[in-house]
């Protein structure tokens, strides 16, 4: 079991290593020279680690923003934190979760090999969250041993194929092809925002076609316009929170200067992340042809959400802001109907909200991205509030998942198990 844990957590659980191994297998399948195999494998690893470095910068700045936002506006409630649940699961269900991940990957390969759904899910962290919800909900619902592992693995494996398939028509519209799919378990939320955007928006007016006066032409540069947007988003909560709150993070730097630099650091993180995306896609897509040709004919790699960011960077920021507005509205609204207060999670709002903004822009343009984003924020605040009572029945109070697909599986799986027990 220790060797299995090593393979699952230290090898397959490390997304950078998993994708690099996939690239290596693909290049070998294409009968590339040893030098080409080494080059392609290492560049894939480098590209993914650059993405990870950019994501870590973003996570650090958004963590700071979340803290001053909550303390400045005196918010008290539940923060969606999949890491907490994963930690609990690893203590009591570590082996089961690991085996569910293994079964899920086998099921994923089998479905891709023998059906028309050719998607191979390559986002290791998201796979871990799906395996975690299956193990936690299954165990708390009375499943044990083989039935827990097999049923959980089948559910997770099916989700790994069918959620990319659900998103692919819009991903195809965004990217112009089928070179890759979206492997991110927030797809239900993306479809909700895209549906609202299609009804309320105007696809002819894209977020990427903003026309500005000559004096503001510098804002045509994506990163400069991002700075202009993000600076007040950081400074306003910092002013409301005051220097004492910011001092916990600023290491003696003036609180407004520190908050300003955090806003710029956010843009730096996005720049690094998008650079890594370009490097990764340049290597993984050609390498994956080897797998498509040899192992799973016509296979399509399902990759993490940042791979879509370069296609509509303005939509990412609009989606992030509008999703945050929607989540704040939901935070204030849902307690009035007896649900828990779910505090806005800035990480989810950026990565899921930004991706949802790209989806909405593809089918509803600027207006769809804005209006759809508010609905998306409401939706991803409602789902964890609905899951919280179910987890409370299992003795897990004040903690809930964040990704919409993971929560949807938890809700459906949990209520089915409650019905039969």
């Amino acid at each position: 079991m220790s060797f299995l844990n090593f393979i699952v957590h230290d090898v397959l659980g490390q997304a950078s290593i998993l994708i690099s191994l996939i690239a290596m297998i693909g290049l070998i399948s294409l009968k590339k020279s040893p030098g080409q195999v080494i080059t392609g494998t290492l560049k894939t690893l480098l590209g993914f680690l650059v993405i990870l470095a950019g994501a870590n910068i973003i996570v650090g700045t958004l963590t700071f923003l979340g803290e001053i936002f909550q303390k400045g506006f005196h918010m008290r409630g539940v923060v969606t934190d999949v890491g907490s649940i994963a930690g609990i699961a690893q203590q009591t269900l570590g082996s089961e979760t690991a085996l569910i991940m293994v079964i899920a990957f086998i099921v994923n390969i089998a479905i891709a090999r023998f059906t028309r759904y050719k998607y191979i899910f390559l986002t290791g962290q998201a796979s871990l969250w799906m395996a975690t919800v299956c193990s936690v909900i299954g165990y708390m619902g009375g499943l044990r041993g083989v039935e827990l592992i097999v049923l959980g693995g089948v559910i997770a494996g099916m989700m790994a194929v069918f959620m990319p398939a659900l998103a692919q028509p819009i991903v195809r519209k965004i990217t112009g092809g089928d070179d890759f799919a979206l492997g991110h378990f927030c797809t239900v939320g993306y479809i909700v925002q895209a549906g609202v955007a299609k009804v309320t928006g105007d696809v002819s007016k894209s977020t990427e076609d903003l026309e500005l006066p000559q004096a503001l032409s510098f804002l045509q540069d994506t990163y400069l316009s991002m700075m202009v947007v993000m600076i007040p988003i950081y400074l306003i909560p910092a002013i409301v929170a005051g220097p004492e709150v910011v001092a916990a993070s600023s290491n003696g730097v003036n609180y407004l200067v520190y908050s300003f630099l955090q806003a710029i650091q956010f843009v730096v993180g996005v720049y690094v992340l998008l650079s890594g995306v370009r490097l990764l896609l340049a290597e993984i897509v050609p390498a994956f042809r080897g797998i498509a040709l040899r192992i799973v004919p016509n296979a399509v790699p399902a990759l993490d959400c940042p791979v879509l960011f370069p296609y509509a960077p303005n939509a990412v920021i609009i989606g992030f802001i509008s999703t945050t507005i929607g989540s704040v509205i939901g935070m204030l609204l849902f307690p009035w109907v007896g649900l828990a207060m779910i505090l806005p999670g800035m990480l989810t709002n950026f990565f899921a909200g930004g991706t949802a903004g790209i989806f909405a822009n593809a089918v509803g343009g600027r207006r769809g991205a804005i209006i759809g984003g508010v609905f998306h924020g409401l939706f991803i605040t409602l789902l964890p509030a609905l899951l919280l009572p179910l987890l409370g029945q299992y003795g897990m109070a004040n903690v809930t998942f964040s990704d919409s697909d993971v929560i949807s599986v938890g809700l459906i799986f949990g209520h089915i198990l409650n019905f039969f027990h």
Side-chain angles (χ1 to χ4, degrees), residues 14-25:
Q14 298 295 318
S16 58
I17 295 177
L18 174 62
I19 289 183
S20 299
L21 289 174
I22 295 292
M24 182 179 70
I25 293 170

Side-chain angles (χ1 to χ4, degrees), residues 45-277:
L45 178 63
L46 177 62
F48 197 91
L49 290 178
V50 171
I51 293 175
L52 187 61
N56 286 338
I57 295 172
I58 293 169
V59 166
T61 62
L62 288 178
T63 299
F64 166 75
L65 178 61
E67 290 174 355
I68 62 173
F69 192 86
Q70 291 172 28
K71 293 178 181 177
F73 293 99
H74 304 291
M75 295 178 178
R76 298 291 183 271
V78 178
V79 179
T80 55
D81 183 10
V82 70
S84 298
I85 297 182
I88 295 170
Q90 290 307 310
Q91 293 175 8
T92 57
L93 297 167
S95 299
E96 289 83 351
T97 302
L99 288 169
I100 286 173
M101 279 190 70
V102 173
I103 297 297
F105 192 68
I106 294 171
V107 170
N108 184 177
I109 295 293
I111 294 174
R113 178 65 179 83
F114 297 109
T115 75
R116 62 190 180 92
Y117 300 106
K118 301 298 182 182
Y119 305 101
I120 307 295
F121 198 95
L122 296 179
T123 308
Q125 188 176 17
S127 299
L128 176 59
W129 302 153
M130 185 60 72
T132 299
V133 77
C134 290
S135 65
V136 168
I137 298 295
Y139 184 85
M140 299 302 183
L143 301 180
R144 298 292 185 272
V146 174
E147 64 177 358
L148 171 63
I149 293 165
V150 173
L151 184 57
V154 169
I155 292 172
M158 292 174 64
M159 291 293 290
V161 176
F162 296 141
M163 300 319 289
L166 180 64
Q168 192 60 18
I170 300 180
V171 171
R172 188 181 301 117
K173 184 184 290 287
I174 294 166
T175 65
D178 287 305
D179 287 338
F180 63 88
L182 180 62
H184 192 223
F185 283 134
C186 295
T187 306
V188 173
Y190 302 154
I191 298 302
V192 167
Q193 176 155 346
V196 173
K198 190 171 183 63
V199 172
T200 62
D202 179 0
V203 72
S204 67
K205 297 180 179 179
S206 171
T207 58
E208 310 311 302
D209 297 329
L210 294 172
E211 296 183 5
L212 299 172
Q214 184 64 33
L216 298 177
S217 61
F218 71 95
L219 293 178
Q220 297 287 1
D221 184 289
T222 297
Y223 300 105
L224 290 178
S225 62
M226 200 178 297
M227 286 183 193
V228 170
V229 171
M230 297 310 298
I231 288 171
I233 287 178
Y234 276 76
L235 285 181
I236 292 171
I239 292 170
V240 174
E244 294 80 8
V245 172
V246 178
S249 305
S250 64
N251 296 319
V253 178
N254 177 273
Y255 78 111
L256 293 179
V257 172
Y258 183 81
S259 301
F260 170 81
L261 292 176
Q262 286 295 302
I264 305 303
Q265 192 78 347
F266 173 90
V267 180
V268 171
V270 173
Y271 180 87
V272 174
L273 184 145
L274 295 183
S275 299
V277 166

Side-chain angles (χ1 to χ4, degrees), residues 375-398:
F375 276 85
H376 180 250
L378 288 166
F379 183 71
I380 66 172
T381 304
L382 175 63
L383 280 183
L386 292 175
L387 184 63
L388 199 61
L390 180 64
L391 293 173
Q393 293 177 24
Y394 297 153
M396 302 176 70
N398 298 321

